[in-house]
């Protein structure tokens, strides 16, 4: 079952339908669904599809030659160099008539790292041949740093040749919920808080099992497919995986500034900044500042951005010993029932509420354009206390702002919740119109809805409302 990615498919199809040379660059971290996207796009189409492996240049070239021979229905060709292979493709592209000739080089970084001249060879082929043909070249890769510097970067030989790029991201909570479409909204929230939006992780869920059973099977069992997934990904993507693991564990434990993290794991603050930047580029962590503050704000906080990594480091990693002595099912059950997990889900629920805001805007259900988004924390001078705002979205040009409160609790004092958020109006200066949004686990009481039914500046959204149209 293929889910989502409609915007990306439209972009790919637009290139396919054109009558000129196109070059699409698709990248994103492992497991995010790059190959699935390409495969779905190519369904019903013919393409020269080659996936590079971690081999030396000669072996990769031999495999590439076999793919070329199979696609063009030619006897096997023993290309002596990559120049010969790419020149052959150019000659075939010039002869090709009719539909678009699609060439896919998947895991391109493996081939280019084994043969550093490959980007230059492709650049020459494009400039002196392919650009005048009806060819669509797709370069795909999981090594995001390589794709951004060696393919898209200004110093890359291929700079300026691409006609489009897709940095594939994990699904939001609503597309993620389509993997478990028969579950309740509450379980959809718990699933996203646990597995995030990575398609590969979500595809492992068994619809015949409960949430607790799926989590126990995948995460709290030594044989579980996702039991060692974070460490495996760090080993595949990064040098010094033990340092990155230590940083993620520190952030999970509440260390939220570079200095605190460095002190916690025994690194110099100047050194830890490099590792934090890499984890940010992988979208595993995020540096947040209060809405409206300058990027250099000293109030910044670091947290784990990816829900699955946040869950794994918070609940799985500390219990490895118990899991490996056979207590995984019991640990999974206790975790799902704990107040700590409920608090964690509440934190992730704030992210889901922001995702709802973007979807509501696209469907015309929001009174402003969410140009700037985030959350706010700081001092309330009237109350003389520290406070925060869970969700903020603003349209600066129109001086409009939305302030949101997110409550993942079975019961909520609605009067107190509304009064509390009203007290925060004006803490973020420069806006004339304020909309208040209340996101709750369960529907608010009918009397509350009736009281504010005709107030266009009040929005009430419960979990069932959020996931009703998945």
């Amino acid at each position: 079952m293929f889910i989502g990615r409609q915007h990306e498919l439209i972009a790919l199809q637009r290139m396919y339908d054109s009558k000129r040379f196109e070059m699409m660059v698709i990248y994103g971290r492992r497991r995010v669904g790059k190959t699935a996207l390409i495969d779905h796009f190519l369904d019903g189409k013919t393409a020269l599809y080659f996936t590079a492996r971690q081999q030396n240049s000669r072996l990769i070239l031999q495999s590439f030659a076999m793919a070329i021979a199979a696609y063009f229905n030619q006897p096997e060709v023993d290309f002596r160099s990559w120049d010969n292979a790419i020149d052959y493709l150019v000659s075939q592209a010039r002869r090709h008539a009719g539909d678009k000739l699609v060439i896919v080089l998947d895991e391109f970084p493996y081939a280019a790292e084994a043969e550093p001249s490959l980007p230059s060879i492709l650049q020459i082929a494009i400039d002196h041949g392919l650009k005048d043909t009806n060819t669509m070249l797709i370069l795909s890769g999981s090594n995001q740093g390589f794709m951004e510097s060696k393919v898209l970067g200004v110093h890359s030989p291929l700079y300026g040749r691409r006609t489009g790029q897709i940095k594939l991201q994990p699904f939001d909570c609503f597309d993620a919920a389509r993997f478990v479409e028969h579950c309740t909204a509450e379980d959809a929230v718990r699933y996203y808080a646990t597995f995030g939006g990575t398609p590969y992780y979500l595809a492992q869920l068994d619809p015949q099992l409960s949430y607790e059973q799926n989590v126990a099977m995948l995460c709290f069992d030594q044989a579980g497919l996702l039991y060692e997934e974070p460490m495996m990904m760090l080993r595949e993507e990064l040098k010094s995986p033990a340092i990155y693991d230590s940083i993620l564990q520190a952030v999970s434990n509440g260390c939220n500034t570079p200095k605190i993290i460095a002190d916690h794991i025994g690194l110099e603050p100047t050194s830890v900044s490099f590792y934090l930047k890499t984890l940010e580029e992988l979208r595993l962590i995020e540096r947040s500042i209060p809405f409206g503050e300058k990027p250099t704000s000293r109030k910044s906080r670091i947290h784990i951005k990816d829900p699955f990594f946040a869950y794994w480091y918070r609940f799985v990693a500390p219990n490895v010993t118990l899991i490996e002595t056979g207590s995984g099912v019991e640990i999974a059950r206790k975790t799902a029932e704990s107040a700590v997990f409920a608090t964690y889900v509440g934190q992730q629920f704030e992210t889901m509420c922001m995702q709802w805001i973007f979807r509501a805007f696209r469907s015309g259900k929001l009174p402003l354009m969410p140009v700037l988004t985030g959350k706010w924390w700081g001092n309330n001078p009237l109350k003389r206390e520290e406070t925060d705002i869970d969700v903020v979205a603003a349209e600066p040009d129109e001086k409009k702002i939305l302030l949101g409160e997110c409550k993942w609790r079975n019961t909520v004092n609605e009067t107190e919740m509304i009064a509390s958020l009203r007290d925060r109006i004006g803490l973020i200066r420069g806006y004339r119109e304020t909309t208040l949004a209340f996101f709750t686990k369960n529907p608010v009481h009918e009397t509350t809805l009736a009281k504010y039914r005709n107030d266009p500046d009040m929005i009430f959204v419960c979990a069932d409302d959020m996931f009703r149209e998945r």
Side-chain angles (χ1 to χ4, degrees):
M1 176 177 65
F2 186 84
I3 289 173
R5 308 301 193 200
Q6 293 308 305
H7 178 77
E8 292 85 353
L9 288 170
I10 289 171
L12 287 165
Q13 188 62 43
R14 187 183 300 120
M15 284 191 172
Y16 183 82
D17 291 338
S18 79
K19 300 300 181 184
R20 59 189 179 91
F21 171 77
E22 304 280 4
M23 175 177 155
M24 176 65 85
V25 179
I26 302 175
Y27 66 111
R29 75 168 196 246
R30 297 183 190 282
R31 318 293 202 194
V32 81
K34 299 179 297 299
T35 300
L37 170 65
I38 296 170
D39 287 347
H40 190 76
F41 162 67
L42 292 176
D43 187 31
K45 304 178 179 69
T46 60
L48 169 53
Y49 199 127
F50 174 70
T51 302
R53 297 164 58 192
Q54 286 183 300
Q55 298 173 311
N56 64 40
S57 179
R58 185 60 189 167
L59 291 176
I60 297 174
L61 180 58
Q62 288 175 356
S63 298
F64 188 42
M66 292 174 63
I68 290 174
Y71 178 77
F72 291 109
N73 196 25
Q74 300 287 338
E76 287 191 24
V77 182
D78 183 17
F79 296 114
R80 294 187 177 184
S81 68
W82 280 95
D83 293 89
N84 295 151
I86 301 302
D87 285 346
Y88 180 83
L89 284 182
V90 172
S91 66
Q92 291 294 328
R94 284 172 170 157
R95 297 191 190 101
H96 193 78
D99 293 336
K100 184 84 73 179
L101 171 61
V102 182
I103 302 170
V104 179
L105 301 182
D106 197 7
E107 293 301 352
F108 179 71
Y110 289 154
E113 286 172 344
E115 180 51 66
S117 66
L118 186 53
S120 294
I121 294 170
L122 277 177
Q123 174 245 313
I124 294 169
I126 292 168
D127 291 351
H128 299 284
L130 290 179
K131 70 178 177 65
D132 298 319
T133 68
N134 189 21
T135 300
M136 180 176 181
L137 176 62
I138 300 176
L139 302 183
S140 174
S142 299
N143 187 327
Q144 297 181 82
F146 182 97
M147 297 298 285
E148 289 178 343
S149 62
K150 304 297 184 183
V151 177
L152 296 172
V154 66
H155 298 298
S156 166
L158 291 169
Y159 179 73
R161 274 71 183 179
R162 64 104 176 94
T163 56
Q165 74 283 320
I166 296 171
K167 185 173 184 179
L168 206 60
Q169 307 289 3
F171 289 135
D172 67 9
C173 62
F174 305 106
D175 277 339
R178 294 171 63 187
F179 285 85
V180 285
E181 58 184 357
H182 298 299
C183 74
T184 63
E186 180 177 347
D187 269 351
V189 169
R190 296 204 295 170
Y191 271 119
Y192 184 79
T194 303
F195 297 100
T198 302
Y200 177 79
Y201 304 160
L202 296 165
Q204 313 310 316
L205 300 175
D206 186 339
Q208 303 303 315
L209 301 180
S210 68
Y211 165 81
E212 289 85 355
Q213 290 171 326
N214 268 307
V215 173
M217 176 185 70
L218 293 169
C219 300
F220 289 84
D221 188 319
Q222 276 186 280
L225 190 62
L226 303 182
Y227 175 61
E228 294 187 346
E229 172 65 15
M231 279 306 301
M232 290 176 65
M233 180 180 164
L234 294 180
R235 292 189 197 105
E236 289 176 355
E237 292 272 2
L238 305 165
K239 297 177 182 177
S240 307
I243 295 178
Y244 290 101
D245 175 61
S246 299
I247 290 173
L248 289 167
Q249 190 64 70
V251 176
S252 178
N253 290 337
C255 302
N256 58 15
T257 70
K259 185 180 187 309
I260 296 174
I261 294 168
D263 291 343
H264 186 82
I265 66 175
L267 276 181
E268 290 294 325
T270 52
S271 299
V272 82
S273 296
F274 166 80
Y275 298 105
L276 291 173
K277 183 175 184 294
T278 302
L279 289 171
E280 277 193 82
E281 290 171 349
L282 289 172
R283 295 177 65 85
L284 294 180
I285 67 169
E286 182 177 51
R287 176 180 173 272
S288 300
I289 57 174
F291 184 92
E293 293 270 347
K294 295 179 179 179
T296 55
S297 172
R298 299 178 67 180
K299 296 180 182 179
S300 66
R301 300 173 180 172
I302 295 169
H303 65 272
I304 298 180
K305 180 179 178 64
D306 183 87
F308 175 70
F309 274 69
Y311 177 88
W312 192 92
Y313 276 97
R314 181 65 184 84
F315 299 107
V316 179
N319 291 301
V320 164
T321 300
L322 285 172
I323 295 168
E324 294 185 353
T325 54
S327 302
V329 172
E330 181 66 10
I331 296 298
R333 184 185 65 78
K334 284 184 173 292
T335 294
E337 296 173 353
S338 69
V340 175
F341 176 65
T343 299
Y344 165 80
V345 173
Q347 294 166 345
Q348 296 295 332
F349 183 57
E350 294 176 11
T351 299
M352 299 179 221
C353 295
M354 183 61 77
Q355 293 172 358
W356 180 89
I357 285 173
F358 289 123
R359 290 221 171 193
F361 168 69
R362 292 199 296 270
S363 60
K365 299 177 182 177
L366 208 65
L368 53 77
M369 182 187 302
V371 177
L372 301 176
T373 60
K375 56 181 62 182
W376 183 91
W377 60 91
N379 181 57
N380 185 334
L382 296 178
K383 295 284 186 177
R384 296 184 179 180
E385 62 184 16
E386 290 294 310
T387 189
D388 57 40
I389 304 173
D390 297 333
V391 169
V392 181
E395 186 176 359
D397 290 347
E398 297 296 322
K399 305 299 181 184
K400 295 180 179 180
I401 194 166
L402 178 148
L403 309 180
E405 182 83 355
C406 308
K407 297 290 188 184
W408 189 253
R409 302 174 186 169
N410 289 328
T411 59
V412 176
N413 184 324
E414 296 166 11
T415 301
E416 184 180 286
M417 174 182 71
I418 294 169
S420 177
L421 191 55
R422 282 192 185 280
D423 286 342
R424 291 166 171 79
I425 296 175
L427 291 179
I428 302 174
R429 300 181 182 278
Y431 296 91
R432 291 192 299 265
E433 297 180 28
T434 301
T435 299
L436 302 182
F438 301 91
F439 301 90
T440 53
K441 181 177 183 179
N442 299 311
V444 297
H445 198 274
E446 278 297 327
T447 55
T448 301
L449 288 177
K451 183 177 180 180
Y452 297 102
R453 183 164 286 127
N454 297 320
D455 189 338
D457 297 325
M458 300 281 278
I459 299 173
F460 296 93
V461 185
C462 67
D464 281 341
D465 295 331
M466 292 173 66
F467 287 90
R468 183 166 289 121
E469 297 178 9
R470 59 180 144 147

